[in-house]
């Protein structure tokens, strides 16, 4: 990508490209459509957000820009790796507050993504729990992270009893309450990429015979109960959800992903969610890219609220997706990590910093986190 850097303003002097046009997200006025995607990170020691996150998020904040946090645990059994942040304790809530304040000080809109990892966990990181929980007792085979290192084999999960599921729903509700107490503008429920909610939805994982298994309606019951609980707690105007019907991440595949995506999009309309954030089937493994830009179009048409898409987008295909009305907003992960001034670079069609996958999941507070250069540092 080539382009001449022209000063240090955040706005192009020419007619803005589609990605840089304003958008009304419910009560929030966005100045552009480039969203910081949620990116799982392991830099929150003992599951408590750290001060270095203040710099990380503020670096990527623009006035009127939407940011979504890294995946944040809803309970002490929700975590799958060390040093992932949580929001189930008072200490965690207090630790998030200065991070939120820093984003708001620069005019950003900040949502917190909340999750439970389900069977994608390791008992080494769990306090006083016999096994990770899931919709099933089928274990995962060993996974390979993006850095090419084999993970420890996953333990056999414990199938949740029917009468235990309401407690997990309540964990999401309480986490959402804590998100608002910490000062965030809203919540994104993580229902994607093979984690607990996705495990229930996908028929190649969910082998239950109770009201949470079998039919498409039953498999989606638990995720929709979570949505309802969170909406009732904080209001639908502050709630979004992330889904990945086409993904097979963490061995969570579905035999009919289009039907799953459509059912969820249509079901979510009942709750009047602020947005639905769906992931294209573009990047399942390192270096693999499947170009299928219209796979989410039926879900986009079915969902009544704001539609965000993610999945390996660049500047040009992001512009096309907005211009062709296939999405309202585009979420960028790796490119936004490596380019803290990504909206400015898109405005100027400037070169992008390359990201380093080897530092994605390190606990270092600077390396591969806050040390990526801004345009003015490379001139």
């Amino acid at each position: 990508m080539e382009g001449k850097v022209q000063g240090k303003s955040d706005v192009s002097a020419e007619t803005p490209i589609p990605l840089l046009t304003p958008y009304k997200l419910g009560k929030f006025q966005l100045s552009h459509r480039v969203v910081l995607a949620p990116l799982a990170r392991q830099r929150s020691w003992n599951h408590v957000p750290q001060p270095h996150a203040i710099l990380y998020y503020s670096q990527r904040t623009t006035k009127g820009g939407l940011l979504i946090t890294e995946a944040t645990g809803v309970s002490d059994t929700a975590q799958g790796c060390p040093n992932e942040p949580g929001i189930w304790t008072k200490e965690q809530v207090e630790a998030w507050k200065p991070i939120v304040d820093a984003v708001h000080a620069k005019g950003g809109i900040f949502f917190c993504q909340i999750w439970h990892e389900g069977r994608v966990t390791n008992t080494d990181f769990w306090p006083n729990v016999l096994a990770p929980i899931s919709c099933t007792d089928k274990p995962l085979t060993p996974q390979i992270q993006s850095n090419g290192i084999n993970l420890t084999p996953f333990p056999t999960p414990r199938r949740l009893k029917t009468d235990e599921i309401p407690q997990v729903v309540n964990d999401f509700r309480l986490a959402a309450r804590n998100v608002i107490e910490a000062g965030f503008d809203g919540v994104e429920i993580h229902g994607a990429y093979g984690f607990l909610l996705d495990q229930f939805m996908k028929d190649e994982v969910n082998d239950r015979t109770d009201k949470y298994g079998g039919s498409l309606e039953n498999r989606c019951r638990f995720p929709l109960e979570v949505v309802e609980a969170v909406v009732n707690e904080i209001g639908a105007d502050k709630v979004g959800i992330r889904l990945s019907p086409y993904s097979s991440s963490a061995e969570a595949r579905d035999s009919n992903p289009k039907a799953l995506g459509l059912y969820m999009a249509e079901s979510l309309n009942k709750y009047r969610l602020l947005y639905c954030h769906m992931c294209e089937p573009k990047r399942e493994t390192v270096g693999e890219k499947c170009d299928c830009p219209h796979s989410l179009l039926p879900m986009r048409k079915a969902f009544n609220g704001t539609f965000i898409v993610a999945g390996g987008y660049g500047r040009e295909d992001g512009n096309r997706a907005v211009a062709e009305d296939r999405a309202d907003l585009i979420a960028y992960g790796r490119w936004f990590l490596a380019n803290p001034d990504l909206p400015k670079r898109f405005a100027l069609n400037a070169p992008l910093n390359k990201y380093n996958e080897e530092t994605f999941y390190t606990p270092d507070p600077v390396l591969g986190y806050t040390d990526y250069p801004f345009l003015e540092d490379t001139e």
Side-chain angles (χ1 to χ4, degrees), residues 50-61:
Q50 297 297 308
H52 46 251
I54 297 173
L55 178 59
Y56 170 76
Y57 284 109
S58 64
Q59 282 179 331
R60 287 153 185 81
T61 302

Side-chain angles (χ1 to χ4, degrees), residues 104-115:
H104 284 162
K106 295 182 71 174
I109 293 94
F110 207 11
F111 273 54
C112 182
Q113 187 191 69
I114 56 175
W115 73 344

